[in-house]
Amino acid sequence: MNITFAKIAVPAQGAVVFGVAEGSKSGIKLSGAAAKFDKQAGGALTRAIKAAEFTGKREKTLTIVAPAGTRVTRVILVGLGNTSTLDETAAERIGAVIYDAVSRDTAAAVVLEGLGGAKAKAGDLVAHVAGGVELKSYRFAKYRTKEESDAKPRIKTLVFQSDDAAAAKKSHVAVAAVAAGVFFTRDLVTEPANIIYPQSFVARAKELTADGIKVEALGVAAMQKLGMGALLGVGQGSRRESQLLVLRWDGAKDKKAPPVAIVGKGVTFDTGGISLKPPGGMWDMKWDMGGAGIVVGLMRALARRKAPVNVIGLCGLVENMPDGNAQRPGDVVTSMSGQTIEVLNTDAEGRLVLADVLWYAQERFKPRAIVDLATLTGAIIQALAEHYAGLFANNDELADQLAAAGKHVGERLWRLPMGDEYDKDLRSPIADMKNIGGGKAGSITAAQFLQRFIKDTPWAHLDIAGVVWNEKGTALAPGGATGYGVRLLNRFIQDAYEK
Ligand code: BES
Ligand code: MN
Ligand code: ZN
């Protein structure tokens, strides 16, 4: 899809979209290019607005097909709501609505006049409408050898007309960087587990070197040397070699300034191991590497918009399989931190992987803060469904910054409590801890487990099991991998560390 920005003009062909501010109950009055176009069409728009009682409510559309007196295929009026309250996320959602309205045309002009208010500048809003179009246009069709041609989107070119095209174009550079990151994440998450496994994940992540990111991977021998018995225990039943992926973006002026570390759970398939999962829905566990997928997409977004900040992305990549060499329930493993863990349930594997990656991140990089992302517990889906990811933290400021960023981009977080009452559940009779709690508050005991591998670094854990995949689709994503987290962390890093 080719996106360009231009001055306002009355469009003459293809599909035409006019953004329309919300009017009073008695109706709306067209202005600017829309009014001129309406005149050419003999008042067809005004009549349609009346007949459909279209009020310009945000994200509502009204389509007028092939209006007489013009050569356009269709006109879509899209409601902007109250334009003075438009922010970037609202603009993106409007963009997503526009994509759905024009995807069957080959070319479209989108006219956005008179935007900009208290919450955002016109150029930024136009850029984010374009970003919403891009985000919603995602498709993963590489394995379809036959496809109904009328199911395929046709849209090739979109021109966004606005009062300040130069500002929109400039602002769109960062917006497109983030969209590219989201697409990379969705691609990785959607790939099945016979294609994406630890080493092939690393190979795909090497594409990031073209963006200016340093990519490094540790295999089993290197991890054994480091004493990563917790991570390695999870992968030992798999034919696929476990990997620890380290991505570096040194964008700050001072390349030595302490980085922020973002850690992702990358279980490329989670059968549960010897504590085997039931077959129904097990296919979902191809996206148990969603946290790692976000890390990779985020790094692309940061690099492509040249974020002035140092960030390390780390992914613990393993496949959790039952096998003659798999770890057994009851095994005791020694983590890199030296702490021992009794593995009572081999399906509580994400925390074992993260234990070693979190420790390694602190030892090697001394980060100013660590945020981990993990499809860690089914319990978080029980608690929050697909509407929020769970947020856990040892630091209120960090938690507040993350929650604010999530609210800003519409990828919401809800903080849950932590405390000794929950931590006690992890006591083991023969090791320093066991890898499961007592059965209640499963998401919290999982977070407590992770915290045992955090020294005094500000740390937050996002349990994203409910938000990585959405069969029905979300406002900004078609069904499948949502890419949740890339926009959220991009915003968080920008607001908290790029001042
Ligand atoms: N990957 C799963 C969590 C999960 C479940 C993610 C459903 C997405 C959808 C995780 O490894 C797991 O199996 N967790 C167990 C922990 C339990 C054994 C303590 C769970 O939540 O049941
Ligand atoms: Mn599991
Ligand atoms: Zn898992």
Side-chain angles (χ1 to χ4, degrees):
M1 213 164 47
N2 182 28
I3 286 180
T4 54
F5 297 91
K7 288 185 299 199
I8 305 271
V10 182
Q13 71 239 328
V16 179
V17 179
F18 290 112
V20 178
E22 187 161 9
S24 64
K25 267 207 199 93
S26 54
I28 47 176
K29 220 176 150 304
L30 295 173
S31 62
K36 282 189 197 141
F37 184 93
D38 189 34
K39 216 168 178 188
Q40 287 173 13
L45 272 48
T46 306
R47 284 196 302 280
I49 286 168
K50 273 234 175 70
E53 297 180 59
F54 182 76
T55 61
K57 209 167 153 43
R58 192 168 292 167
E59 294 176 35
K60 290 273 182 272
T61 60
L62 174 63
T63 302
I64 301 120
V65 179
T70 77
R71 287 170 44 222
V72 308
T73 56
R74 74 189 90 214
V75 175
I76 296 122
L77 304 179
V78 57
L80 303 176
N82 177 350
T83 49
S84 70
T85 64
L86 267 181
D87 61 15
E88 293 168 359
T89 302
E92 283 172 350
R93 286 165 173 259
I94 289 167
V97 169
I98 292 174
Y99 175 76
D100 286 337
V102 303
S103 67
R104 307 284 300 136
D105 288 276
T106 53
V110 181
V111 183
L112 298 166
E113 244 173 311
L115 261 57
K119 291 202 164 167
K121 289 198 208 108
D124 292 335
L125 290 172
V126 174
H128 279 272
V129 173
V133 170
E134 288 169 290
L135 288 170
K136 190 72 177 192
S137 76
Y138 179 79
R139 294 186 89 229
F140 187 93
K142 63 194 275 198
Y143 298 122
R144 288 185 195 278
T145 62
K146 304 183 207 57
E147 194 172 28
E148 310 281 314
S149 74
D150 60 353
K152 269 195 202 154
R154 298 201 192 99
I155 188 80
K156 289 269 157 10
T157 61
L158 273 142
V159 53
F160 287 84
Q161 299 184 6
S162 64
D163 306 313
D164 192 351
K169 188 177 175 191
K170 191 159 170 247
S171 177
H172 183 249
V173 174
V175 172
V178 177
V182 171
F183 274 36
F184 200 179
T185 298
R186 289 178 185 167
D187 281 348
L188 289 166
V189 170
T190 310
E191 287 285 6
N194 60 327
I195 304 295
I196 284 291
Y197 45 89
Q199 283 180 325
S200 64
F201 187 102
V202 168
R204 290 287 284 273
K206 286 199 171 136
E207 285 173 27
L208 290 172
T209 46
D211 294 326
I213 292 196
K214 295 192 194 97
V215 182
E216 182 191 335
L218 284 66
V220 167
M223 288 191 276
Q224 267 164 350
K225 260 197 199 136
L226 290 163
M228 296 191 167
L231 183 152
L232 290 169
V234 176
Q236 77 186 32
S238 170
R239 297 292 180 97
R240 312 290 197 183
E241 186 182 343
S242 301
Q243 301 283 307
L244 171 54
L245 174 67
V246 182
L247 307 167
R248 262 184 110 121
W249 170 249
D250 298 317
K253 265 208 197 93
D254 176 5
K255 307 283 175 234
K256 295 257 147 56
V260 182
I262 312 291
V263 171
K265 168 179 172 181
V267 177
T268 59
F269 198 78
D270 179 13
T271 63
I274 297 299
S275 312
L276 193 64
K277 288 181 182 294
M282 199 202 272
W283 51 83
D284 278 342
M285 290 300 105
K286 76 169 182 182
W287 47 263
D288 208 21
M289 35 58 71
I294 294 168
V295 169
V296 170
L298 171 72
M299 296 304 280
R300 166 156 285 174
L302 295 173
R304 291 213 175 163
R305 69 171 180 82
K306 301 198 166 48
V309 60
N310 296 339
V311 179
I312 311 286
L314 301 109
C315 302
L317 298 163
V318 302
E319 186 183 50
N320 188 21
M321 298 294 265
D323 177 77
N325 195 47
Q327 68 180 343
R328 294 143 292 254
D331 281 6
V332 175
V333 296
T334 303
S335 66
M336 183 184 173
S337 73
Q339 299 177 91
T340 57
I341 305 159
E342 187 186 10
V343 181
L344 288 186
N345 190 323
T346 65
D347 197 13
E349 85 297 340
R351 63 198 75 182
L352 297 168
V353 173
L354 290 174
D356 279 337
V357 183
L358 289 169
W359 193 264
Y360 176 80
Q362 293 164 94
E363 290 276 294
R364 178 167 169 197
F365 297 108
K366 311 270 180 289
R368 53 200 291 194
I370 300 193
V371 180
D372 77 69
L373 301 124
T375 48
L376 204 62
T377 65
I380 203 69
I381 308 175
Q382 297 304 312
L384 302 172
E386 67 273 33
H387 307 302
Y388 288 80
L391 165 63
F392 304 83
N394 67 358
N395 180 294
D396 292 342
E397 192 192 6
L398 179 60
D400 290 347
Q401 287 168 333
L402 283 160
K407 200 169 172 194
H408 194 118
V409 304
E411 293 177 349
R412 295 176 300 176
L413 292 167
W414 195 265
R415 190 173 181 186
L416 283 96
M418 298 187 70
D420 288 342
E421 323 70 304
Y422 297 104
D423 190 74
K424 286 198 180 96
D425 264 8
L426 296 171
R427 284 181 190 162
S428 155
I430 67 159
D432 295 334
M433 68 196 87
K434 53 190 172 79
N435 76 329
I436 51 172
K440 292 190 271 185
S443 304
I444 302 178
T445 51
Q448 293 294 156
F449 183 95
L450 299 181
Q451 192 173 31
R452 287 180 175 228
F453 298 87
I454 298 294
K455 300 178 209 183
D456 44 17
T457 314
W459 158 77
H461 155 59
L462 313 187
D463 194 334
I464 54 173
V467 295
V468 161
W469 193 268
N470 191 313
E471 210 60 55
K472 284 178 285 183
T474 63
L476 298 178
T482 60
Y484 176 104
V486 174
R487 289 161 60 258
L488 160 62
L489 288 180
N490 174 66
R491 186 82 217 180
F492 158 71
I493 287 171
Q494 189 176 326
D495 289 350
Y497 303 109
E498 292 180 26
K499 273 163 265 164

